[in-house]
Structures are given as structure tokens and as C-alpha cells.
Amino acid sequence: MKILAIDSSGLVASVALLEDDTLLAEYTVNYKKTHSQTLLPMLDAIAQMIDLELNSIDAIAISKGPGSFTGLRIGSATAKGLGLALDKPLVEVPTVDALAYNLYDAQGLIVPMMDARRAQVYTGIYRFVNHELTAVKAQCAEAVEDLMEELNCLGEPVILLGDGVQPYLDRIRELLKVPFTVAPAHLNRQRAGAVGALGEKYFSRGMTVTADEHRPEYLRASQAEREQTARGVPVKEIEKNSEKLKPRDYS
């Protein structure tokens, strides 16, 4: 089984190739460049490094959201373009689940926090049970204060990770009453390797979609969509505008 994995859900851009539970290559950049500038050169670089023939992959694992609206659309367009050109299925991996999977078999609660702005984070609450990632609370958009209250009620030690931790760290220290730690730098951000590892599991269970069927999962409306709704723009027109980013031709 050979899985190509892509994550562009946040500031991090990451591409990986996994084969039979082995991570053959991973290219991750956490820098202020648009993903339209970075994803394809990164894919080309790992393909050349490991002599990858794209036709040899079995599926494309894509971080489906939530996250940056622009980043998700670029990643989605890239995955859809590859899927259509290569006639390969896509495996949709929830972004927050993949973040939690960075901390495989960790003890206690794992709580990814992606900065969603407006005093909210994209988050979820997870634990490992018999070596399987289990959601105590599925990924959602939530106010930091509400999340801290939930964690206090659960009363267990917590590991926090993601780009939503640092902006709210003072508030977390003030509100969180259970023991907590923050994951170290090499485990603290999105990684295509984790997307691919979960993607392998989902692919083996038949959890795939076609390139045409794939849609990012935003969890909430973008700022532009909220403004359009406030002006009375019909929902169908907003959805049509959001699909204007076309996949690149990879044939």
C-alpha cells in the first residue's frame, strides 16, 4: 500500500509518502509562503528523492479540515487534481484527528488547538484506547474558555498542541486547573506523515471518496461568507463562489 499525504490546513505545508507502514519521505515547511507556492515543489522534491512514479500510489490522503480556508482549498484542489489525473481515490482525514495522532499512545487527554481567530480554536479531545485514537469530543470550533471548562470537568492531565496554544497560553494558565503540558516543537504542528498514517488505516477499511466527491470541511463560514450572508447574498451563490479555485492539470 502506497499513500501520498498532503496537509495545508494551517501555516504549515506538508507532503509525505508512506508505503506499508513505513514513512519513506516527508517534507514540511512552517513559513509564511502561500501553499500554492510550496506544495507542488515539495511534492516534486520528494518524488525525485525517492524515485517516485505518481501512478504507483494507491490513494491520496488529504487533511480535509478544519483550518485555514485558503489553505484547505489549495490542498483540496491539489489532491483533487492528482486524483482526477491519476484516477486514484482520496482518503479524507480530519485535520484535528491527524494532529492528535502525532502523539501516538500518549497517556492522558490529547487536545489539539488550531487558532481559528475571534477567540476560538478548532479543537477536539482525544485519548488512546488499546492503541487506537478515540475521540472523547469530535473536532469542532469552540471558545477557549469553554474548552478549558470542559477539560476541568474531565479532571485528567492534558497534552496541548497546535498553533492555537501559544496565542492563548496566558489564558490557558489562568483557566486550566488540571495538570497540562505542551507538546515539543517536532510534534506540535500538522504533519503529512500523521495524515498518511491515519490515511493508511482508513484506506484499508475502504473509507475513500472520489476526487469529484471530496469537499473540505470548514466547520464554520469564512469571514467573506458571513459578510455576504449579512448582505443577503443567497447561500447557493456563496457556495458557487467558494468553488472557483480549479484543480491543476497533472496529466
Side-chain angles (χ1 to χ4, degrees), residues 8-23:
S8 60
S9 58
L11 182 60
V12 171
S14 187
V15 178
L17 195 286
L18 295 88
E19 183 173 13
D20 298 331
D21 294 323
T22 299
L23 180 62

Side-chain angles (χ1 to χ4, degrees), residues 44-58:
D44 289 341
I46 67 169
Q48 292 179 28
M49 186 66 67
I50 63 174
D51 299 321
L52 172 67
E53 294 289 340
L54 284 175
N55 279 319
S56 70
I57 66 174
D58 294 294

Side-chain angles (χ1 to χ4, degrees), residues 1 3-6 16-18 23 61-62 93 98 101 191-202:
M1 182 194 311
I3 303 291
L4 175 67
I6 298 170
L17 195 286
L18 295 88
L23 180 62
I62 177 67
V93 178
Y101 206 66
R191 290 183 57 188
V195 173
L198 275 178
E200 283 189 329
K201 288 179 175 289
Y202 297 164

Side-chain angles (χ1 to χ4, degrees), residues 8 10-14 27 29-39 41-42 68 70-71 74:
S8 60
L11 182 60
V12 171
S14 187
Y27 194 156
V29 175
N30 184 13
Y31 191 70
K32 294 181 180 180
K33 285 190 176 181
T34 64
H35 297 319
S36 59
Q37 293 177 288
T38 56
L39 274 182
M42 290 162 62
S68 156
T70 301
I74 292 170

